[in-house]
Amino acid sequence: HALEVMFHTRMWRYECLTDNPAAATAVYVPYYPGLELNHYTCDTSAMVRDGPSGEFLRWLSSQPRWATLGGRDHFMVASKTTWMFRRSGGDDSQGCGNGFLNRPECLNMTVLTIESNIWERRDMAVPYPTYFHPSSSSEVAAWQARARGAHRPWLFAFAGGRRPNGTLVLRDRVIDQCESSSRCGMLDCSHGLEGSITCQSPEKLMCLQPYGDSFMRRSSIDAVVAGCIPVFFHEASTLEKQYRWHEPARGRDGVHRRYSVFIDNDHVLEGKVDIEEVLSRFTDEEVAAMREEVIKMIPRFVYTDPRVRFEGDMRDGFDIAIDEVMARMMRIENGEDLGW
């Protein structure tokens, strides 16, 4: 959940900063709502969890610049899933999150989260940070070459573990099918420190992306960085629905190039499809073409090392997000009512 700090550090290096608020197209708000929420456990009262962020938003909305457009030219990063900031109910309501995104001030701002609600957008999703933070374009190119040349002995693979009491049924079905296939590589992340170390290598994370506690998995981004074709089971888990700014759905020629596979989760749960059978239908040429599209996407889904000045010419996840935020702010400044 370090994305808030990473964005703030990169904003200090942004080439178009101004000391004059009146001249700014957009106002970046360096508040860390995700890290602030980490102070509290799920059994902490809702009033306590809502307190600091509510106090901050009251202060922010009292500032002179806020009055210009009612906060619609402000943006910030909240490095948790949108669901952690959408808790509803009174001061005694249950849950682990708070009501940050439900507050009127946030309804006006552009808030970047690591997973959005695709059916009721109050925020825009930006990719999870991975373990790869390059400092030069040559380092990225070398990694892409490594991904192209990687030995891939499995047709498909899954990295993760079961949850107690069968609380994630889809994940159990995926693991069952993986374990029963000689063509699936299973990386079990559930065995304490050993499992954690095994699954912290992005080079080893591949393919199957069943949703877990929420729809998006961080390992979906690890899969992209590893040059692995992601297999999704719900539309809210797809890069196309979540990361619309970063997912290059169409090339410059306007042609949509496939880079992922979708298998309906209901069909898996009902036993109507066999994952291995579905994936076996793709030819070697189709697999190679999809993998190449994934590898070409890598620069868009990583964040460069925020501590150093990047060497070379490359637009990373931060650059793309800021470009889109600025374009949105200019449309708002021109009087467009964008809503969400």
Side-chain angles (χ1 to χ4, degrees), residues 277-304:
E277 181 182 349
V278 172
L279 299 181
S280 296
R281 297 172 190 165
F282 292 94
T283 66
D284 291 346
E285 291 75 18
E286 289 173 324
V287 170
M290 285 192 286
R291 187 169 64 238
E292 180 59 26
E293 290 302 314
V294 171
I295 292 171
K296 289 193 293 187
M297 288 165 51
I298 290 175
R300 306 174 65 88
F301 281 86
V302 299
Y303 298 99
T304 61

Side-chain angles (χ1 to χ4, degrees), residues 162 171-181:
R162 299 180 189 270
R171 179 176 293 196
D172 288 342
R173 296 290 186 276
V174 167
I175 292 174
D176 289 342
Q177 292 200 29
C178 183
E179 290 180 335
S180 65
S181 172

Side-chain angles (χ1 to χ4, degrees), residues 303-325:
Y303 298 99
T304 61
D305 190 335
R307 300 166 298 179
V308 299
R309 190 166 297 280
F310 188 79
E311 296 181 7
D313 183 20
M314 189 192 85
R315 310 296 288 174
D316 74 339
F318 170 85
D319 294 319
I320 292 168
I322 293 301
D323 288 347
E324 294 289 347
V325 166

Side-chain angles (χ1 to χ4, degrees), residues 1 3 54 70 99 110 127 129 153 159 174 176 189-190 195 224 229 247 264 289 315 321 334 337:
H1 301 299
L3 194 58
T110 295
V174 167
D176 289 342
C189 304
S190 61
V224 170
I229 301 164
E247 185 262 357
D264 191 291
R315 310 296 288 174
N334 291 333
D337 184 10

